[in-house]
Every structure is written in structure tokens, then in C-alpha cells.
Amino acid sequence: MESVTIVLVLLLAVVVSGAISRMLPFTVPKPLVQIALGAAIGLAADWRVALEPELFFFLFLPPLLFLDGWRIPKDELFKDISTVVELALGLVILTVVGMGLFIHWMIPAMPLAVAFALAAVVSPTDPIAVSAIAARVPIPKRMMHILEGESLLNDASGLVCLRFAVAAALTGTFSAYNAALNFLWVAFGGLAIGIAVTMAVTWVKFRVSRRFGEDVGSQILVSLLIPFGSYLLAEHFHCSGILAAVAAGVTMSFAEISRQALPATRMRRNSVWDMIQFTANGIIFVLLGEQLPAILHGATETVEQTGHHHAGWLAIYVLAITLGLAALRFMWVWVSLRLTLLRRRTRDDDSKSPEWRLVAAMSFAGVRGAITLAGVLTLPLVAADGAPFPARDLAIFLAAGVIVTSLIIASIGLPLLLRGLQMPSDHSAQAQEDAARVAAAEAAICEIERVQHELAAGRPDADVYAAAGARIMDLYRDRIESRSQQGAAAEAARREGSIERELRLAGLRAERAAIFRSTRERNLGSETANRLVRELDLLEARYRS
């Protein structure tokens, strides 16, 4: 019962953190609130959560990385793929090597392999924490897409580097040649397994559903099992389970396009995955806070591992690592944006440098979060000879300190930098959306005409079918007309559409209030009321999307 109680308390803390973050009169990132709640739990409770590294890694990382790969906008990612790759791969390698050497130089008592492992776990960024920080200040969509793509790839690359660093720490040897060969097997094997598992599962699922019908609950459960199955199979063949989960998520988005699920399946599945993402990220930060009292209590013993005797040195180390990461990121982001994102085709434009606020915002957005914490907690408890893993507590303390410090710094600086910041415009996005809506409306009109003629053929009341079809097709023709305009007329049409959406939402709220009032007055049965409210909820979700 104690384990069940711990899980329930953690879930309650995640729920309460969301309420507290909304109640505060000033912007505080939800992860910081969750860390504070976890720390309060750790101080007040008599029990402690004993985290088994492999189990923690398996429970939290595969579903989170799978969902990142599944939901990331693929087209937007490919438009800035060069920038994303430079940030996700080049910056990670630079961070692991540069910060690893810096940490070992700063803390000679920490073995070089462990310093590289610490640098590897602090290299991944967390876009969810950035979204929480920027909740009250709009963040440019293009910047968010770049940050999401960077996070997706650097999660995998950073954790793969962590795997090699831990192996070197356990064995005491490192061969660049063997590491390169092993990396190719680990990386490409993991990617191939993730792709193969997802394609096979979705193909079987599609065949079974097409022949015997689709069960919504089973479809959702299958989507939950795919990341864990990909991870376990990849680890069985000594490949990267992390890359397998990422590849499975990316493949899932493409598989869904060709093998469509029922609308009810997609809507309910999205809700389930939203809940899993919210819960898993929240629990990770609450667990970090719950571990902090014990980590701080052992600060005296931890600082002795560095050769000092005052706990203040730990704060100095955390600040130094955070500033080092920020400096590396600022320089790399400037070079990357200079070469790719903001590069112009004309010679005059080529001489221009990226706006400093854009570089600073991208640098501040390099917040460390759930993946860093999950990675550092997977450090082995004991070395190969049975002795305690060297400097494990110190690495966990420094990683936790970097997470908290980066969140605090970003929560102060990022909203200031984001206010009024403009990314290079992408005019093709709105044009693509308008063209897609027009094409979809034209296809709908053709299909309605065909079905209308089929239903009305040989019937005496054919005019009723014609009238019903005309009413529906008029709605599609209005969409075609509004989306086919350009310039000022297009802007006026979009403004009119925004006004119409607000009026529709006001009407839906009034309808819902009237239904609830009728239900309370016993003028409407609960079953009918639930069905009507669900219809209104779906309409409101459509207009708010």
C-alpha cells in the first residue's frame, strides 16, 4: 500500500501544481512549482522514493520521446532542418566534449568519463519547460518548431553519448574506433527497429480493423504499447531504445496518414496521450523536488568529493556549468543562424547578422528539464567492481542544480526577449492552409453532388435531397470564396471569420448553460443532456482549434 500511496501523492502534487501556477499573480513556470511541491513533500513525509535507474528510464522516456516524434510538425521541421541538425547534433557534441573537459578541469575529483556523462545529460533541452515559461508571452511558431526539432534529436543524441560515457566509466577504457562502430550499430539499429515495429504494428492493426471493425480502446492501447515494444526490442539487440522510440513516433505520424483511424479513435487517443505527457513530465519534476532535501542534506558529504569542505562550492559549480552551457549555446546559435536560418540570397543581405535578441532568445530557450533529470538518475548505483559509482551523488546534484537554475534564468529573461520578437516570416504556411481548405471544400462539393444524385434517383421527393445538398454546398462555397481572396480582401475575410468564431463560441456557451439549467430543473433527462453537451463540446473544440 505504501507504493500506491506514493503514486497517488505524486499525482495529486502534479494536479495541485497546475492550479498553483495559474493562481500566482506573476509568471512562474509549472516545472518550478512542481519542484517546490516535491521538495515540500520530501521535507514533510517520512518516506523516500527509491528510484531504480533502469526502471525509471524505461517508464518515462520511451512514451515521452515517442510522443515528441509523433507530434512534431514534419514539414516545418524540414524547412529548418539544417538549423535543427546543427543545434541537435553539432551543439550536443560540442557540449559533451567542451563541457566534459571543463567540468573535469573544474572538479578534478570527478573522473573524466563521469564528467562526460554529466555533460551528456545536461546537453538535451526541454521545449515543454520553454512553453510553460512563455505561456503568457506568445512565442513565434517558427522558433518553437526549431526548439521542438532540436529537443527531439538532442534528446536521442545526448542520451546515446551518455551511454558511451557510462560504459567508459564502468570499464575504465575507451576506444574511439570501437565507439564509432558501436555508435553506427546503436543508432541505425535503433532507428531501423523503431521504424519496423511501428510499420508492422500499424499494418496488422489496419488489416484487422478493416476486416473485423475497429475497437477504440484497443487502438489506443496499441499506441501506448508501441514505444515500449520498440524500446525493449532495440535494447534486446543492444541498440538504442531511445532512438527506437523516437523513430517509432516519427513513423507513426506517416503511418497514420496512409492508414486512417476512426475520428473517435483519434480524438480519444489524443486526450489519453495529452494526459500521459502532462502526468509523466509533472511526476519527473515532482520527483526531482522530492529528492532535493536528501541531496541537500548530503551536500556536506558531496562537496568533500570535490576536495572542498564548504557547501557553497556546489552553488559555484552549478552556476559555472550553467554559464558555460549558455556561452556555448549563444556562440553556436549565432553561427547556426548566421549560416542557415537568416541567410539571404543576395550579397548585401549576406553581410547582415542575426538580430541579437533572436540569438539571445534561442539561447535562453535552452532550458534543461525532464530528459536531463531522467538521464542523470539512470547513472548506475555501483561500478563494475561492486564499489559505489564514482561521483554519482555529485553528478545528480549538479544536474538538478542546472535544471533549476536554467529554469529560473529563462523564466526571467525569456519573456523580456520574446516580447515583440519576430522570426523571419514564412508566407507559404497561410497560402498552403488556404489552398488545402479550398481543395477539401471542392472535393466535398463533388462528393455531396454524387451522393445526392444517388439518393434522389427515382424518388418522387428528389427536390428535398436537392435542397438539402444545396444548403450544405453553400457552406463549402462560402469557404472557397473566403479562402480564395488575396491582399486586403483576404485580411478582411480572416477578420470576419475571427468575429464569426467569437460569436459562435458565445452562442455555444449559451446553449450549454440552457441545457444545464433544464437538467437541473428536471426538464431534461441526464442521458439526453450528456449527448447534447458532448455535441456542443466538439463544436467548441473545433472553433477554438
Side-chain angles (χ1 to χ4, degrees):
M1 286 299 294
E2 182 179 359
S3 299
V4 176
T5 303
I6 291 174
V7 172
L8 293 177
V9 170
L10 293 176
L11 292 175
L12 179 62
V14 174
V15 173
V16 173
S17 68
I20 292 177
S21 63
R22 292 192 300 272
M23 294 176 185
L24 293 175
F26 47 88
T27 303
V28 176
K30 193 181 296 182
L32 282 179
V33 177
Q34 292 164 344
I35 291 173
L37 279 176
I41 293 173
L43 290 172
D46 294 331
W47 43 261
R48 289 289 179 268
V49 179
L51 298 176
E52 185 178 342
E54 291 185 1
L55 181 61
F56 184 86
F57 205 78
F58 172 69
L59 287 179
F60 288 98
L61 291 190
L64 290 176
L65 295 177
F66 173 81
L67 187 61
D68 287 343
W70 189 357
R71 289 186 170 177
I72 189 170
K74 307 303 183 296
D75 293 336
E76 288 79 359
L77 173 63
F78 291 138
K79 286 178 182 177
D80 294 308
I81 190 63
S82 57
T83 302
V84 171
V85 171
E86 288 165 5
L87 291 173
L89 300 182
L91 181 56
V92 166
I93 295 174
L94 177 65
T95 300
V96 172
V97 175
M99 291 305 301
L101 294 173
F102 173 71
I103 292 171
H104 180 63
W105 170 81
M106 183 173 61
I107 312 175
M110 178 177 285
L112 183 59
V114 180
F116 282 137
L118 176 58
V121 298
V122 297
S123 60
T125 54
D126 187 354
I128 295 175
V130 176
S131 299
I133 294 171
R136 301 183 187 180
V137 181
I139 185 169
K141 287 186 177 181
R142 191 173 183 185
M143 177 187 289
M144 199 63 206
H145 292 154
I146 293 175
L147 293 173
E148 288 172 344
E150 176 197 4
S151 176
L152 176 65
L153 296 180
N154 69 16
D155 288 350
S157 56
L159 293 174
V160 169
C161 292
L162 170 64
R163 175 174 177 168
F164 289 123
V166 170
L170 292 175
T171 61
T173 60
F174 179 78
S175 169
Y177 176 76
N178 292 333
L181 291 180
N182 192 21
F183 177 81
L184 293 177
W185 170 253
V186 165
F188 288 102
L191 293 173
I193 289 174
I195 294 172
V197 168
T198 306
M199 293 299 295
V201 170
T202 54
W203 183 84
V204 172
K205 183 178 64 174
F206 171 73
R207 294 291 182 181
V208 172
S209 298
R210 189 173 67 172
R211 181 167 183 179
F212 302 105
E214 182 172 309
D215 180 71
V216 175
S218 298
Q219 297 288 321
I220 296 173
L221 184 57
V222 167
S223 72
L224 295 176
L225 293 175
I226 288 176
F228 295 105
S230 301
Y231 180 90
L232 289 175
L233 187 61
E235 291 294 325
H236 177 74
F237 289 103
H238 304 289
C239 300
S240 172
I242 296 302
L243 285 175
V246 172
V250 175
T251 307
M252 189 73 173
S253 62
F254 290 106
E256 287 292 303
I257 296 175
S258 56
R259 302 186 178 103
Q260 298 180 2
L262 291 176
T265 299
R266 288 196 296 271
M267 289 188 293
R268 295 178 186 176
R269 187 176 58 193
N270 286 337
S271 299
V272 170
W273 274 104
D274 286 340
M275 183 270 295
I276 290 175
Q277 184 181 45
F278 172 78
T279 304
N281 278 290
I283 286 179
I284 287 175
F285 285 111
V286 172
L287 283 175
L288 168 59
E290 191 274 335
Q291 300 287 309
L292 279 181
I295 294 174
L296 293 174
H297 181 71
T300 303
E301 292 79 7
T302 302
V303 75
E304 291 178 355
Q305 300 178 24
T306 68
H308 299 284
H309 300 284
H310 194 281
W313 279 99
L314 294 177
I316 295 175
Y317 292 149
V318 168
L319 186 60
I321 294 173
T322 304
L323 294 177
L325 291 170
L328 281 179
R329 184 174 178 84
F330 185 90
M331 291 186 294
W332 191 270
V333 166
W334 188 90
V335 173
S336 177
L337 294 182
R338 181 70 179 87
L339 294 177
T340 57
L341 181 60
L342 300 179
R343 183 168 51 200
R344 304 297 189 222
R345 294 185 178 180
T346 63
R347 180 173 299 177
D348 292 337
D349 285 336
D350 276 342
S351 62
K352 294 182 180 180
S353 297
E355 183 186 350
W356 74 269
R357 281 207 309 147
L358 177 59
V359 178
M362 290 288 291
S363 303
F364 272 84
V367 178
R368 274 63 188 178
I371 301 299
T372 293
L373 178 61
V376 75
L377 290 176
T378 61
L379 291 176
L381 297 173
V382 295
D385 57 358
F389 190 81
R392 183 179 189 271
D393 292 340
L394 176 60
I396 293 176
F397 182 95
L398 295 177
V402 168
I403 293 172
V404 175
T405 306
S406 65
L407 282 169
I408 294 174
I409 293 175
S411 64
I412 297 173
L414 196 56
L416 298 175
L417 293 169
L418 287 176
R419 191 169 290 115
L421 180 64
Q422 296 292 329
M423 289 285 286
S425 58
D426 187 3
H427 301 289
S428 62
Q430 186 61 50
Q432 288 178 356
E433 179 181 343
D434 291 341
R437 290 184 180 274
V438 169
E442 291 174 345
I445 290 174
C446 293
E447 183 65 12
I448 290 171
E449 287 180 340
R450 185 188 68 80
V451 175
Q452 170 197 315
H453 290 310
E454 285 185 0
L455 295 175
R459 296 184 63 91
D461 56 349
D463 57 328
V464 176
Y465 290 87
R471 286 195 300 270
I472 299 174
M473 287 187 287
D474 284 343
L475 297 176
Y476 285 108
R477 292 191 179 99
D478 290 341
R479 180 193 297 179
I480 293 173
E481 181 180 358
S482 63
R483 295 285 176 171
S484 300
Q485 297 174 351
Q486 296 180 351
E491 184 63 29
R494 279 193 287 270
R495 185 170 181 272
E496 182 180 342
S498 177
I499 295 173
E500 180 182 342
R501 183 167 56 253
E502 291 300 321
L503 295 176
R504 286 183 181 273
L505 289 173
L508 291 172
R509 288 193 294 269
E511 285 188 68
R512 190 183 293 108
I515 291 173
F516 286 145
R517 184 168 55 252
S518 297
T519 306
R520 289 194 299 269
E521 295 172 355
R522 305 294 182 182
N523 296 326
L524 182 66
S526 59
E527 183 177 355
T528 304
N530 290 335
R531 178 170 54 83
L532 295 177
V533 169
R534 175 172 172 75
E535 292 176 2
L536 295 175
D537 291 344
L538 292 174
L539 285 173
E540 183 169 345
R542 172 197 170 191
Y543 289 120
R544 288 191 182 278
S545 61

